[in-house]
PDB file of all heavy atoms in Angstrom:
ATOM      1  N   VAL O 166     -23.699   0.865  -6.692  1.00  0.00           N
ATOM      2  CA  VAL O 166     -23.473   2.402  -6.474  1.00  0.00           C
ATOM      3  C   VAL O 166     -24.404   2.872  -5.403  1.00  0.00           C
ATOM      4  O   VAL O 166     -23.979   3.710  -4.606  1.00  0.00           O
ATOM      5  CB  VAL O 166     -23.599   3.120  -7.797  1.00  0.00           C
ATOM      6  CG1 VAL O 166     -23.555   4.709  -7.544  1.00  0.00           C
ATOM      7  CG2 VAL O 166     -22.574   2.734  -8.738  1.00  0.00           C
ATOM      8  N   LEU O 167     -25.644   2.554  -5.567  1.00  0.00           N
ATOM      9  CA  LEU O 167     -26.571   3.015  -4.452  1.00  0.00           C
ATOM     10  C   LEU O 167     -26.270   2.489  -3.085  1.00  0.00           C
ATOM     11  O   LEU O 167     -26.312   3.211  -2.099  1.00  0.00           O
ATOM     12  CB  LEU O 167     -28.042   2.530  -4.737  1.00  0.00           C
ATOM     13  CG  LEU O 167     -28.616   3.280  -5.994  1.00  0.00           C
ATOM     14  CD1 LEU O 167     -29.933   2.612  -6.329  1.00  0.00           C
ATOM     15  CD2 LEU O 167     -28.784   4.686  -5.822  1.00  0.00           C
ATOM     16  N   ALA O 168     -25.823   1.226  -3.013  1.00  0.00           N
ATOM     17  CA  ALA O 168     -25.370   0.737  -1.709  1.00  0.00           C
ATOM     18  C   ALA O 168     -24.147   1.384  -1.224  1.00  0.00           C
ATOM     19  O   ALA O 168     -23.853   1.480  -0.095  1.00  0.00           O
ATOM     20  CB  ALA O 168     -25.068  -0.858  -1.815  1.00  0.00           C
ATOM     21  N   LEU O 169     -23.349   1.941  -2.125  1.00  0.00           N
ATOM     22  CA  LEU O 169     -21.980   2.563  -1.750  1.00  0.00           C
ATOM     23  C   LEU O 169     -22.294   4.017  -1.217  1.00  0.00           C
ATOM     24  O   LEU O 169     -21.428   4.583  -0.531  1.00  0.00           O
ATOM     25  CB  LEU O 169     -21.003   2.629  -2.805  1.00  0.00           C
ATOM     26  CG  LEU O 169     -20.371   1.299  -3.120  1.00  0.00           C
ATOM     27  CD1 LEU O 169     -19.341   1.436  -4.264  1.00  0.00           C
ATOM     28  CD2 LEU O 169     -19.464   0.847  -1.896  1.00  0.00           C
ATOM     29  N   VAL O 170     -23.516   4.623  -1.553  1.00  0.00           N
ATOM     30  CA  VAL O 170     -23.661   5.864  -1.131  1.00  0.00           C
ATOM     31  C   VAL O 170     -23.613   6.090   0.528  1.00  0.00           C
ATOM     32  O   VAL O 170     -22.899   6.903   0.904  1.00  0.00           O
ATOM     33  CB  VAL O 170     -25.082   6.498  -1.584  1.00  0.00           C
ATOM     34  CG1 VAL O 170     -25.461   7.725  -1.053  1.00  0.00           C
ATOM     35  CG2 VAL O 170     -24.883   6.615  -3.164  1.00  0.00           C
ATOM     36  N   PRO O 171     -24.403   5.246   1.234  1.00  0.00           N
ATOM     37  CA  PRO O 171     -24.232   5.449   2.639  1.00  0.00           C
ATOM     38  C   PRO O 171     -22.753   5.085   3.115  1.00  0.00           C
ATOM     39  O   PRO O 171     -22.331   5.597   4.151  1.00  0.00           O
ATOM     40  CB  PRO O 171     -25.403   4.505   3.192  1.00  0.00           C
ATOM     41  CG  PRO O 171     -25.670   3.527   2.092  1.00  0.00           C
ATOM     42  CD  PRO O 171     -25.371   4.262   0.743  1.00  0.00           C
ATOM     43  N   ALA O 172     -22.249   4.113   2.453  1.00  0.00           N
ATOM     44  CA  ALA O 172     -20.969   3.642   2.863  1.00  0.00           C
ATOM     45  C   ALA O 172     -19.861   4.901   2.651  1.00  0.00           C
ATOM     46  O   ALA O 172     -19.096   5.134   3.577  1.00  0.00           O
ATOM     47  CB  ALA O 172     -20.388   2.533   1.947  1.00  0.00           C
ATOM     48  N   ILE O 173     -20.096   5.712   1.610  1.00  0.00           N
ATOM     49  CA  ILE O 173     -19.221   6.834   1.325  1.00  0.00           C
ATOM     50  C   ILE O 173     -19.481   7.856   2.423  1.00  0.00           C
ATOM     51  O   ILE O 173     -18.520   8.476   2.882  1.00  0.00           O
ATOM     52  CB  ILE O 173     -19.349   7.250  -0.148  1.00  0.00           C
ATOM     53  CG1 ILE O 173     -18.771   6.230  -0.993  1.00  0.00           C
ATOM     54  CG2 ILE O 173     -18.627   8.644  -0.241  1.00  0.00           C
ATOM     55  CD1 ILE O 173     -19.150   6.691  -2.549  1.00  0.00           C
ATOM     56  N   ALA O 174     -20.748   8.021   2.671  1.00  0.00           N
ATOM     57  CA  ALA O 174     -21.040   9.043   3.791  1.00  0.00           C
ATOM     58  C   ALA O 174     -20.314   8.640   5.141  1.00  0.00           C
ATOM     59  O   ALA O 174     -19.807   9.433   5.829  1.00  0.00           O
ATOM     60  CB  ALA O 174     -22.569   9.254   3.937  1.00  0.00           C
ATOM     61  N   LEU O 175     -20.542   7.326   5.372  1.00  0.00           N
ATOM     62  CA  LEU O 175     -19.846   6.847   6.643  1.00  0.00           C
ATOM     63  C   LEU O 175     -18.362   7.091   6.548  1.00  0.00           C
ATOM     64  O   LEU O 175     -17.722   7.318   7.576  1.00  0.00           O
ATOM     65  CB  LEU O 175     -20.263   5.463   6.937  1.00  0.00           C
ATOM     66  CG  LEU O 175     -21.745   5.271   7.185  1.00  0.00           C
ATOM     67  CD1 LEU O 175     -21.894   3.600   7.460  1.00  0.00           C
ATOM     68  CD2 LEU O 175     -22.047   5.830   8.577  1.00  0.00           C
ATOM     69  N   MET O 176     -17.765   6.719   5.427  1.00  0.00           N
ATOM     70  CA  MET O 176     -16.275   6.944   5.178  1.00  0.00           C
ATOM     71  C   MET O 176     -15.842   8.459   5.420  1.00  0.00           C
ATOM     72  O   MET O 176     -14.821   8.700   6.085  1.00  0.00           O
ATOM     73  CB  MET O 176     -15.884   6.517   3.727  1.00  0.00           C
ATOM     74  CG  MET O 176     -15.976   4.991   3.638  1.00  0.00           C
ATOM     75  SD  MET O 176     -14.901   4.164   4.768  1.00  0.00           S
ATOM     76  CE  MET O 176     -13.337   4.766   4.389  1.00  0.00           C
ATOM     77  N   VAL O 177     -16.696   9.374   4.920  1.00  0.00           N
ATOM     78  CA  VAL O 177     -16.353  10.777   5.203  1.00  0.00           C
ATOM     79  C   VAL O 177     -16.495  11.067   6.598  1.00  0.00           C
ATOM     80  O   VAL O 177     -15.547  11.868   7.346  1.00  0.00           O
ATOM     81  CB  VAL O 177     -17.274  11.694   4.417  1.00  0.00           C
ATOM     82  CG1 VAL O 177     -17.152  13.164   4.671  1.00  0.00           C
ATOM     83  CG2 VAL O 177     -17.245  11.433   2.867  1.00  0.00           C
ATOM     84  N   LEU O 178     -17.495  10.652   7.354  1.00  0.00           N
ATOM     85  CA  LEU O 178     -17.608  10.831   8.748  1.00  0.00           C
ATOM     86  C   LEU O 178     -16.426  10.175   9.531  1.00  0.00           C
ATOM     87  O   LEU O 178     -15.862  10.833  10.463  1.00  0.00           O
ATOM     88  CB  LEU O 178     -18.998  10.245   9.336  1.00  0.00           C
ATOM     89  CG  LEU O 178     -19.216  10.436  10.893  1.00  0.00           C
ATOM     90  CD1 LEU O 178     -19.251  11.929  11.119  1.00  0.00           C
ATOM     91  CD2 LEU O 178     -20.498   9.784  11.225  1.00  0.00           C
ATOM     92  N   GLY O 179     -16.124   8.994   8.978  1.00  0.00           N
ATOM     93  CA  GLY O 179     -14.984   8.265   9.738  1.00  0.00           C
ATOM     94  C   GLY O 179     -13.713   8.946   9.549  1.00  0.00           C
ATOM     95  O   GLY O 179     -12.689   9.114  10.250  1.00  0.00           O
TER      96      GLY O 179
END
Side-chain angles (χ1 to χ4, degrees):
V166 173
L167 289 176
L169 283 178
V170 170
I173 293 175
L175 291 176
M176 289 299 302
V177 172
L178 179 61

